[in-house]
Amino acid sequence: MDSSDTIKNDKETTQSEGQIRPLCVKNLHIQPQNTRRMTYLETISASWVICDSWAGMAATVSLAIAQGGPVTLVYGPITTLVLVGGCALTLAELASVYPTAGGQYHWTSILAPKGMSRGLSYCCGVANVFAWIAICTGIAIIPSQLVVGIAIFWCPSYSPQPWHYFLIYQAVNGLVLLYNITLLKRSLWIHDVSFFITLASFLVITITCVARSSSNYGSSRDVWDNFLNSSGWSSGVAFLTGLVSPNYMYAGIDGALHLAEECENAAAVVPRALLSTITIGFITTWPFMIAMLYCTDDLNAVVSSATGVPIYEMWHQATHSPIAATIFIILLFFAATFALTGAQQTGSRLTWSFARDHAIVGSKWLGKMHPTLDVPVWALIFNYAIMFIIGCVYLGSSSAFNAFIGTGLVLQHISYAFPAILLMYRGRSRKWLPESASFRLPGWLGWVVNIVTVCFAVLVLVFYDFPTVIPVTGSNMSEFL
């Protein structure tokens, strides 16, 4: 990165436009306040929609059933609330002081020793950029799986081919790209609409399933104390690898960070968006999964569902209605599309910020905002192009494609660990976390969440790379979804 554009290490802070910022952030051409259009609600909505926690877990439920079953689905969300909650608190503290689109890699540059600043911030930035591309790819494949699942459900003789998934994946991805380029800036209210639609969908689905299954609930023992393990791993390892599914509740939790230069009063709003996403995510996902488990008669049928969409079978068992289950899948389709819209927007802002610091090939174009559309068009196209190429891998091997997706969570948590380690290295000094910051944790709690952030990154790096089952074959190594 060009030293004139990177954040230097000997930082002082100043109060500017109601936000605490490093003096040298001006070298990064931070968006001025009068160009920021996202309101407080829109920022929170965008952050929530990207994670869309209940929908994210619904779409990845099969792995958790095979690796812990109900125990992973019930206690996994509690575990990830604590672990990812620690990450969110770490990020919120830093965002309240340094609200920039670069997020983690900017903070790494600020906190790192002078001789290591450029190298560490570059590594953190690369990890974060590719994490977001992988997350976008993982979201983009969900609509195609749902559409094909509906086709199989209603026409059992239909035999899907990889190119069927590929075409739907590319179509949805391309349409969302066009929307992000041409219309999103003029319709930021779409995040608010998406927020309320997905919450309404959660309520409708949960209430309907509970009401329709009221005479045939499963036993509490089967829900709260039933550990299923068909992975071949020990129970402990199975639970830890099965946390991938609950962790998808919060895939992209740092989304609000990278929208900091598009929202008003980012130093106060971004930390609230992070904590709101964590809170709403758990409040929706945990009751949703408990309700679904009580309403499911046969978990083995869910895992072996011919549709390839296990939640489809859960909803069918719960409602005893193929039409109701299909409507719920359509609602999940819209939730995934809304999430992809927000994820593309956020991922492009990170790529744009990285290019703005001359840290990527083609920075001359990728680091520019379009003068009339007011979006980083080339950054959006760059991310889309990589997603297009990864989509082509699906034609040859779905396992290789899933391995690409699986890197998203791993790289994401690695990017959180960089600034957390360096913040502890700096002793969480007031020089780096001023008392006047809009969000600051008590000293002891700050140390705890920083340690949790680093330890969870290590856990993710080790266990999320395990194959889902043993013995290991070429088709199951790192196959997350």
Side-chain angles (χ1 to χ4, degrees), residues 1-2 5-6 28 105-106 352-359 363:
M1 287 182 280
D2 190 318
D5 289 324
T6 54
L28 294 170
Y105 85 85
H106 279 170
W352 163 72
S353 178
F354 206 46
R356 188 177 54 177
D357 293 334
H358 305 290
S363 296

Side-chain angles (χ1 to χ4, degrees), residues 216-289:
N216 193 32
Y217 289 147
S219 68
S220 293
R221 182 180 179 84
D222 287 340
V223 173
W224 298 93
D225 191 29
N226 183 16
F227 192 90
L228 302 178
N229 183 9
S230 59
S231 67
W233 293 109
S234 66
S235 297
V237 172
F239 179 78
L240 291 174
T241 56
L243 283 179
V244 170
S245 180
N247 202 352
Y248 266 101
M249 291 166 51
Y250 302 124
I253 191 65
D254 59 323
L257 304 178
H258 309 303
L259 297 175
E261 295 177 40
E262 298 193 38
C263 65
E264 302 169 355
N265 194 20
V269 170
V270 171
R272 293 174 189 170
L274 282 165
L275 301 185
S276 297
T277 301
I278 287 287
T279 304
I280 299 172
F282 181 77
I283 290 174
T284 54
T285 305
W286 196 57
F288 170 77
M289 287 314 310

Side-chain angles (χ1 to χ4, degrees), residues 1 16 69 79 134 147 164 193 224 260 268 287 297 334 366 378 383-384 406 416 434 447 463 466:
M1 287 182 280
S16 174
T79 304
V147 170
H164 298 169
V193 172
W224 298 93
D297 301 324
F334 282 114
L366 298 178
W378 287 112
N383 287 7
Y384 167 80
Y416 302 162
W447 281 100
F463 287 98
F466 278 29

Side-chain angles (χ1 to χ4, degrees), residues 148 158-167 394-395:
V148 172
Y158 165 61
S159 179
Q161 302 299 316
W163 63 270
H164 298 169
Y165 294 94
F166 172 80
L167 290 179
Y394 196 94
L395 294 172

Side-chain angles (χ1 to χ4, degrees), residues 253-465:
I253 191 65
D254 59 323
L257 304 178
H258 309 303
L259 297 175
E261 295 177 40
E262 298 193 38
C263 65
E264 302 169 355
N265 194 20
V269 170
V270 171
R272 293 174 189 170
L274 282 165
L275 301 185
S276 297
T277 301
I278 287 287
T279 304
I280 299 172
F282 181 77
I283 290 174
T284 54
T285 305
W286 196 57
F288 170 77
M289 287 314 310
I290 292 174
M292 294 306 103
L293 288 170
Y294 270 109
C295 297
T296 301
D297 301 324
D298 185 356
L299 280 175
N300 291 325
V302 172
V303 175
S304 60
S305 173
T307 64
V309 184
I311 196 66
Y312 206 158
E313 176 63 24
M314 292 186 85
W315 286 338
H316 187 209
Q317 291 184 25
T319 61
H320 309 290
S321 168
I323 294 177
T326 302
I327 291 173
F328 295 166
I329 289 294
I330 293 172
L331 292 176
L332 187 58
F333 174 92
F334 282 114
T337 305
F338 292 146
L340 182 59
T341 301
Q344 273 197 11
Q345 178 191 12
T346 302
S348 69
R349 273 40 173 195
L350 177 58
T351 301
W352 163 72
S353 178
F354 206 46
R356 188 177 54 177
D357 293 334
H358 305 290
I360 194 170
V361 175
S363 296
K364 179 180 178 181
W365 299 279
L366 298 178
K368 289 185 177 180
M369 283 280 180
H370 193 280
T372 55
L373 296 173
D374 196 24
V375 295
V377 172
W378 287 112
L380 279 161
I381 293 174
F382 174 83
N383 287 7
Y384 167 80
I386 297 179
M387 292 172 66
F388 184 94
I389 294 170
I390 296 174
C392 294
V393 173
Y394 196 94
L395 294 172
S397 170
S398 61
S399 296
F401 178 84
N402 290 335
F404 275 112
I405 295 174
T407 62
L409 283 177
V410 177
L411 292 175
Q412 184 183 49
H413 283 283
I414 288 174
S415 76
Y416 302 162
F418 272 89
I421 291 172
L422 292 169
L423 189 58
M424 290 190 288
Y425 165 76
R426 295 294 185 179
R428 294 183 49 83
S429 165
R430 293 180 183 178
K431 177 180 179 181
W432 312 99
L433 292 176
E435 292 287 352
S436 53
S438 61
F439 181 84
R440 198 175 194 281
L441 298 171
W444 68 269
L445 182 57
W447 281 100
V448 169
V449 299
N450 293 161
I451 292 171
V452 166
T453 301
V454 175
C455 290
F456 190 37
V458 174
L459 183 150
V460 166
L461 181 61
V462 174
F463 287 98
Y464 286 14
D465 287 330

